[in-house]
Amino acid sequence: MPSNKKEEIIFGLMMVLGMVSIMFAYNATLEGLWEEMTLVRGFAQFALTFIVAFIMEAFVVGTTARKIALKLPYNKSKKFNNIIAISTCMVIGMVSVMSVYGLISKIATSGIEGTLLSNYTNLLLLNFVVAYPAQLLIVGPVARYILTNFVKPSNNAVQL
């Protein structure tokens, strides 16, 4: 886990990049957008989504999720429990926020049928079932591995 502000920013960037990549591909597939999306349009949408997600993670969801996770009743002496609690709170928060972003994007590009609430609930559930396992099984472990094996050693070498 990150131990200073620099590591926290790098870790956050890795997590957001991984999750946005997976969720962008998933949602584009759900909406059938791959055939009509140009490379430039796809990159622009990905970049905007990445920026929004990073801002939300860094300034809104991340701090709130950590505070909530650390208040939950579980054995905090085990690193694995901390990872699960924080990851769960992060996914719930980020899926909630980014589903609003996705709904706004969908309204702006193709419109929606039905109520906002039903569309949001549907999008929230569809995103959660992919985001939670992706976070726990792919993005989180890869980001922690990179942080532990590549970022932290270079920080230690600089400080010597």
Side-chain angles (χ1 to χ4, degrees):
M1 298 303 285
S3 55
N4 60 45
K5 197 66 172 168
K6 177 184 173 187
E7 290 175 5
E8 201 172 293
I9 291 168
I10 292 169
F11 186 71
L13 285 168
M14 288 188 294
M15 294 291 267
V16 171
L17 180 63
M19 289 304 294
V20 168
S21 297
I22 291 169
M23 298 309 293
F24 185 83
Y26 170 67
N27 280 293
T29 302
L30 277 180
E31 295 297 320
L33 298 176
W34 288 114
E35 291 179 12
E36 65 187 54
M37 190 182 311
T38 65
L39 186 61
V40 172
R41 182 173 169 217
F43 180 76
Q45 287 178 332
F46 180 86
L48 181 60
T49 304
F50 176 81
I51 291 166
V52 170
F54 183 73
I55 290 169
M56 289 293 108
E57 190 276 335
F59 299 108
V60 180
V61 176
T63 53
T64 305
R66 283 182 201 86
K67 286 177 186 174
I68 292 170
L70 295 175
K71 289 181 181 179
L72 295 173
Y74 65 91
N75 183 356
K76 293 171 183 67
S77 65
K78 295 186 178 184
K79 186 178 177 181
F80 179 77
N81 293 347
N82 290 326
I83 290 169
I84 297 297
I86 293 170
S87 294
T88 300
C89 291
M90 286 292 292
V91 169
I92 291 169
M94 288 301 290
V95 167
S96 299
V97 169
M98 293 308 290
S99 291
V100 170
Y101 170 79
L103 187 58
I104 291 168
S105 296
K106 187 174 181 178
I107 291 169
T109 57
S110 62
I112 60 169
E113 293 180 20
T115 67
L116 280 175
L117 182 60
S118 67
N119 276 274
Y120 176 73
T121 304
N122 186 48
L123 194 55
L124 187 75
L125 294 173
L126 287 171
N127 285 331
F128 186 81
V129 299
V130 172
Y132 194 55
Q135 167 66 17
L136 290 178
L137 301 174
I138 301 166
V139 179
V142 169
R144 282 188 292 281
Y145 177 82
I146 292 170
L147 181 73
T148 303
N149 292 295
F150 298 104
V151 176
K152 284 190 178 213
S154 68
N155 284 349
N156 292 338
V158 171
Q159 294 172 354
L160 296 175

